[in-house]
């Protein structure tokens, strides 16, 4: 079974790229057994969705942001 450290690495990786079938299977198995990592995955999804809703941050050198 994966350690929690490895599972959180795979959770982060899965946001950026597809996991291999082996990684995905091991990660899913770990999530079935570990409530802490399930909670971590929920938090990552929440943060990802919040970032998508907020949109891109304005550039600090954008004249439209000058006061």
């Amino acid at each position: 079974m994966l350690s929690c450290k490895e599972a959180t690495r795979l959770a982060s990786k899965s946001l950026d790229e597809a996991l291999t079938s082996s990684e995905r299977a091991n990660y899913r198995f770990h999530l079935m057994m570990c409530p802490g990592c399930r909670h971590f995955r929920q938090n990552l999804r929440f943060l990802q969705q919040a970032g998508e809703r907020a949109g891109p941050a304005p550039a600090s050198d954008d004249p439209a942001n000058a006061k």
Side-chain angles (χ1 to χ4, degrees):
M1 186 163 113
L2 294 176
S3 68
C4 291
K5 183 176 181 178
E6 181 67 8
T8 55
R9 185 189 70 76
L10 290 176
S12 296
K13 179 181 177 182
S14 71
L15 297 177
D16 298 324
E17 61 187 79
L19 301 178
T20 66
S21 57
S22 175
E23 288 173 327
R24 190 171 48 255
N26 287 325
Y27 178 56
R28 287 180 178 171
F29 181 74
H30 181 88
L31 290 177
M32 287 190 297
M33 304 298 179
C34 184
C37 287
R38 286 194 304 269
H39 188 253
F40 179 79
R41 182 182 66 164
Q42 288 174 338
N43 287 338
L44 275 183
R45 286 182 175 172
F46 172 80
L47 291 172
Q48 182 183 36
Q49 291 169 356
E52 289 170 356
R53 278 188 236 119
S60 60
D61 59 349
D62 186 348
N65 295 329
K67 291 184 178 180

